[in-house]
Amino acid sequence: MAMAGESSRKNYDKMDGDEVAGKSQRKVGLVYDDTMCKHDTPDGEDHPEFPNRIRVIWEMLQLAGVSQRCVVLGSNKADDKHLQLVHTKDHVNLVRTLSTKQKDYQRNKIALELSSIYLNGSSSEAAYLAAGSVVKLAEKVAQGELDSGFAIVRPPGHHAETDEAMGFCLFNNVAVAASYLLNERPDLGVNKILIVDWDVHHGNGTQKMFWKDPRVLFFSVHRHEYGSFYAPGDDGDYNMVGEGPGEGFNINVPWDQGQCGDADYLAAWDHIFVPVAREFNPDIILLSAGFDAAIGDPLGGCRVTPYGYSAMLKKLMEFADGKIVMALEGGYNLDSIAKSSLACVQVLLEDKEIQASSETYPFESTWRVIQAVRKRLCAYWPSLADELSWKLINQKRPTPIILISNSDSETEDDAQGLLDQMSKLSIENHQVDTARTSWRADLAKVDVWYASFGSNMWKPRFLCYIQGGQVDGLKRACVGSIDKSPPKEIVWKTFAHRLFFGREHTARWGAGGVAFANPLANPNNEIHMCLYRITLEQFNDVLRQENALSVDTDFPVFDLAALQLTENKGAVIPEAVSDSWYGSVVCLGKECDIPILTMTCTHSVSEKFKSGEFPLRPPAKAYAYTLIRGLVEGGRFSEEEAEAYIGEAASKPL
Ligand code: X5A
Ligand code: ZN
């Protein structure tokens, strides 16, 4: 395989000793190969996991003069035999034969069946190189030829499951390397491997591959938020501790809010990972080093700084004689991933003392999560058994507010657009304002039923609009309402309106329509709605978030006069949201003398759906699943019934 370049070849020779420029240092390996940049979207469409990610990291290491002090290795193609240690034969065959497909549409068809995957003619080669390079680097570190190393690879790996590519990942690079050391190289004496996954997403693939294997201790810290952050579902929950002989060897630290930073991550290190790693005493550490929890990342919404990464890595250097193999996973802000990578390689090189420190405290929710994890796992790891001191957990900071939210109705579709938007995004660390403006106090006294028929039927998803948080695919956290108290009551009701799905594509859910209710009633129709009893203040905040407006506002979008008008006329179009997709508020009657309000498209827009001017589209799988989940978990329907209901609404003409 191609080497990274002529200059690096020279470096390799030069670096063959322990002494560089007179100072002794650790031998750190780097793998980089431009060939992995060839994996790209087939149609040139923007995507956050794009080729330059690895290039900027490599260039940063060169510019900083750091790569010149490392051992630069060329890439290495994985053996099918090694891939099959963790993947099925079918999966390996599928990825291998991608390159033999002559036409993009053949690959597009495969990619479409998978979650968050694109493929082109070079995807197969890149996937083989990514996995093989991590294997090679791990082998050299295990052998002692290198002290540690960083494989700057793509596509990433940790979402890839035994038989499935997903989440931008084709082969599970780190898992292949771990399994290779344990099963193919008994001669190297690696009996216990610690895999640390600090990518902002849960390492679902890695977790599953070593679920019952006590030789691999898996740590993953990730955003989880009721199971709604990618990867969807319960896999990332802290209750997932492994099974059989592997019970206790799987440790998830699932954040239940975004915006976690150095203080939160280091708290997880100090109070969970470090004590457990000390007990486990690994022979080598493999690090799923995604940098999408970095400050500025468009997908992660967290705030880890290069200092934070270096401090976390430094704490890991205490174990396994510092034998650490880092493999790149996610990370989508070029500046952040380059700087974070540099900080990490400097730690591996033991360049200098780590400067700076974290000045803030962890969130209250961070302490809650850490305590829950410790409690769940202390039976396996005695060092987690003690209660954290009250003094410690009392050191906490308030949850900040992001002033922009988004929703199903978000019209920004392409990834670059999102990146642009992100750079304009104003994140302010101001505290929740307890001195509310007067309109809030007034509207807080009035209750309404918010009637949901789309993804908000799934309670955890709706709660994001109240309590803040993020659901799958959402590029930014919901801020929640200023009033974070949960709904006072939840009931289900049926109305004589038509559920339908329209629009072609959303940023969050990809291709497919989102749910609308026809604002006009029709006795032949039946729509199922989940009604949340909330205050009119909260309803305003939901309405604003649903239409991608900031909740930080001096004026209500929907005030008492508007409520009166809606009750009298059946529907109003609040000025501030009139151009948005959910531009009208419809009153569906009363329940216990409290008005039932829903938000949907305006009548004139529904006419355009009817005439075909706007497209009707069945929902994307994941989106439909959220609705089905809402209907099932809400006790409205069995899964089959829910599917049939959604299926019918998605296929019948308006
Ligand atoms: C490796 C990684 C993220 C997938 C997000 C899909 N994957 N929405 O960061
Ligand atoms: Zn990630």
Side-chain angles (χ1 to χ4, degrees):
M1 277 307 131
M3 291 286 294
E6 194 52 36
S7 63
S8 44
R9 204 183 300 261
K10 275 191 229 118
N11 290 334
Y12 185 81
D13 298 332
K14 192 172 71 194
M15 293 300 303
D16 229 17
D18 274 328
E19 296 282 318
V20 174
K23 78 174 177 193
S24 91
Q25 64 164 52
R26 295 174 58 88
K27 271 187 160 181
V28 178
L30 291 179
V31 188
Y32 177 75
D33 182 344
D34 257 338
T35 314
M36 285 180 276
C37 294
K38 294 192 330 199
H39 165 60
D40 201 352
T41 52
D43 41 15
E45 227 186 273
D46 290 331
H47 191 280
E49 204 288 276
F50 65 117
N52 269 352
R53 293 177 57 243
I54 56 173
R55 207 174 268 138
V56 295
I57 292 174
W58 178 239
E59 279 169 7
M60 175 65 105
L61 296 178
Q62 287 182 303
L63 267 172
V66 158
S67 59
Q68 295 83 341
R69 297 166 42 218
C70 295
V71 179
V72 178
L73 309 170
S75 60
N76 175 58
K77 183 171 177 268
D79 284 353
D80 282 354
K81 182 174 163 219
H82 301 154
L83 295 169
Q84 282 173 26
L85 293 168
V86 295
H87 290 293
T88 61
K89 215 178 187 134
D90 282 354
H91 179 66
V92 174
N93 284 343
L94 177 86
V95 177
R96 183 179 350 88
T97 55
L98 288 173
S99 52
T100 64
K101 306 259 181 302
Q102 292 306 307
K103 297 271 187 296
D104 276 341
Y105 75 78
Q106 296 172 297
R107 282 182 288 267
N108 289 349
K109 219 179 109 197
I110 298 170
L112 214 68
E113 299 281 304
L114 299 160
S115 139
S116 298
I117 287 291
Y118 62 78
L119 299 166
N120 72 355
S122 299
S123 300
S124 177
E125 184 178 18
Y128 270 86
L129 292 182
S133 298
V134 180
V135 168
K136 179 59 133 243
L137 185 64
E139 177 188 46
K140 288 191 186 293
V141 172
Q143 264 166 356
E145 191 182 322
L146 295 169
D147 291 308
S148 60
F150 180 23
I152 310 161
V153 296
R154 66 183 287 276
H158 72 152
H159 293 306
E161 299 198 343
T162 300
D163 197 24
E164 192 171 322
M166 61 182 278
F168 319 157
C169 304
L170 298 179
F171 291 137
N172 195 320
N173 311 320
V174 163
V176 173
S179 196
Y180 169 79
L181 294 180
L182 290 170
N183 299 307
E184 297 287 302
R185 300 300 304 270
D187 57 306
L188 298 178
V190 174
N191 300 312
K192 289 184 287 180
I193 299 182
L194 170 61
I195 300 182
V196 177
D197 187 331
W198 72 32
D199 185 282
V200 77
H201 303 96
H202 178 234
N204 55 291
T206 316
Q207 165 169 303
K208 284 187 191 160
M209 286 162 175
F210 303 107
W211 186 242
K212 295 183 178 171
D213 192 337
R215 298 174 300 173
V216 175
L217 173 59
F218 181 56
F219 289 167
S220 182
V221 52
H222 45 269
R223 286 184 67 177
H224 186 58
E225 287 151 65
Y226 325 102
S228 52
F229 200 74
Y230 198 89
D234 296 334
D235 287 353
D237 194 276
Y238 61 76
N239 277 313
M240 305 297 272
V241 298
E243 226 180 282
E247 190 177 330
F249 291 88
N250 193 88
I251 304 189
N252 286 323
V253 177
W255 300 139
D256 59 21
Q257 66 171 65
Q259 301 169 65
C260 289
D262 297 351
D264 305 285
Y265 277 80
L266 290 171
W269 250 246
D270 290 346
H271 302 292
I272 298 170
F273 291 167
V274 168
V276 174
R278 199 170 286 136
E279 285 191 61
F280 181 66
N281 189 24
D283 298 319
I284 192 169
I285 298 177
L286 306 188
L287 179 54
S288 267
F291 291 110
D292 42 11
I295 187 161
D297 189 277
L299 266 57
C302 287
R303 310 177 55 88
V304 177
T305 67
Y307 156 73
Y309 284 114
S310 55
M312 289 192 279
L313 183 56
K314 188 82 195 166
K315 286 174 193 270
L316 296 176
M317 295 270 283
E318 178 194 329
F319 307 105
D321 298 325
K323 286 189 210 129
I324 299 183
V325 178
M326 295 177 61
L328 184 67
E329 299 280 359
Y332 307 101
N333 176 314
L334 294 184
D335 194 53
S336 311
I337 62 178
K339 287 178 179 155
S340 305
S341 297
L342 174 61
C344 286
V345 176
Q346 286 173 324
V347 169
L348 295 181
L349 284 166
E350 291 191 323
D351 253 8
K352 49 179 187 246
E353 286 302 298
I354 297 171
Q355 300 290 327
S357 66
S358 164
E359 265 152 24
T360 63
Y361 294 125
F363 290 126
E364 186 162 16
S365 68
T366 294
W367 287 125
R368 197 169 54 233
V369 169
I370 288 177
Q371 284 176 296
V373 173
R374 286 173 62 97
K375 192 157 170 236
R376 180 67 181 84
L377 282 138
C378 66
Y380 315 101
W381 307 100
S383 60
L384 301 181
D386 294 341
E387 291 272 344
L388 296 179
S389 79
W390 176 84
K391 226 177 118 188
L392 180 70
I393 61 179
N394 218 30
Q395 298 182 335
K396 58 191 184 217
R397 72 188 194 280
T399 302
I401 295 176
I402 303 181
L403 291 175
I404 297 180
S405 165
N406 81 3
S407 68
D408 289 353
S409 59
E410 189 198 11
T411 44
E412 187 55 66
D413 278 342
D414 64 295
Q416 192 55 48
L418 279 163
L419 292 174
D420 294 346
Q421 269 201 16
M422 282 306 296
S423 59
K424 287 184 220 133
L425 185 67
S426 70
I427 297 170
E428 293 199 2
N429 275 321
H430 65 74
Q431 296 194 16
V432 177
D433 208 341
T434 39
R436 299 194 191 151
T437 50
S438 61
W439 74 263
R440 289 192 169 272
D442 289 345
L443 301 197
K445 294 189 196 113
V446 179
D447 276 0
V448 296
W449 294 102
Y450 161 58
S452 61
F453 50 84
S455 60
N456 283 330
M457 289 190 293
W458 186 41
K459 186 175 158 200
R461 191 264 169 272
F462 172 66
L463 285 180
C464 294
Y465 278 157
I466 298 295
Q467 295 172 340
Q470 187 156 22
V471 296
D472 176 33
L474 199 61
K475 303 299 186 294
R476 298 181 288 270
C478 296
V479 300
S481 173
I482 300 290
D483 175 0
K484 300 218 164 0
S485 35
K488 297 183 182 106
E489 248 179 292
I490 303 178
V491 298
W492 287 82
K493 272 181 89 78
T494 310
F495 299 92
H497 286 255
R498 170 64 203 277
L499 172 68
F500 67 93
F501 295 90
R503 297 175 54 196
E504 318 206 26
H505 178 239
T506 48
R508 184 179 329 148
W509 304 102
V514 293
F516 292 96
N518 191 330
L520 288 189
N522 177 334
N524 300 326
N525 293 143
E526 200 174 54
I527 189 169
H528 298 271
M529 296 209 192
C530 180
L531 279 52
Y532 299 96
R533 194 172 137 201
I534 57 178
T535 70
L536 192 52
E537 178 199 6
Q538 291 176 314
F539 183 80
N540 267 271
D541 290 341
V542 172
L543 181 60
R544 293 186 70 95
Q545 291 177 79
E546 190 70 17
N547 288 294
L549 296 169
S550 156
V551 299
D552 191 24
T553 165
D554 293 337
F555 307 98
V557 178
F558 190 82
D559 60 10
L560 283 165
L563 176 62
Q564 195 60 61
L565 204 61
T566 313
E567 284 185 57
N568 294 341
K569 297 180 63 171
V572 299
I573 302 171
E575 171 82 40
V577 296
S578 59
D579 292 334
S580 309
W581 284 98
Y582 293 106
S584 89
V585 176
V586 177
C587 182
L588 299 167
K590 285 193 169 190
E591 170 79 18
C592 305
D593 221 33
I594 295 169
I596 304 167
L597 305 176
T598 192
M599 38 191 99
T600 185
C601 60
T602 62
H603 174 63
S604 71
V605 168
S606 79
E607 288 298 307
K608 290 187 175 155
F609 278 120
K610 212 177 209 159
S611 72
E613 190 177 335
F614 288 166
L616 289 174
R617 277 290 148 79
K621 246 196 209 159
Y623 178 67
Y625 178 68
T626 308
L627 273 57
I628 290 167
R629 199 162 172 185
L631 289 158
V632 173
E633 287 176 20
R636 193 58 168 173
F637 277 145
S638 72
E639 189 154 339
E640 295 70 36
E641 290 164 337
E643 267 173 36
Y645 166 66
I646 299 298
E648 187 181 328
S651 54
K652 271 206 324 207
L654 250 191

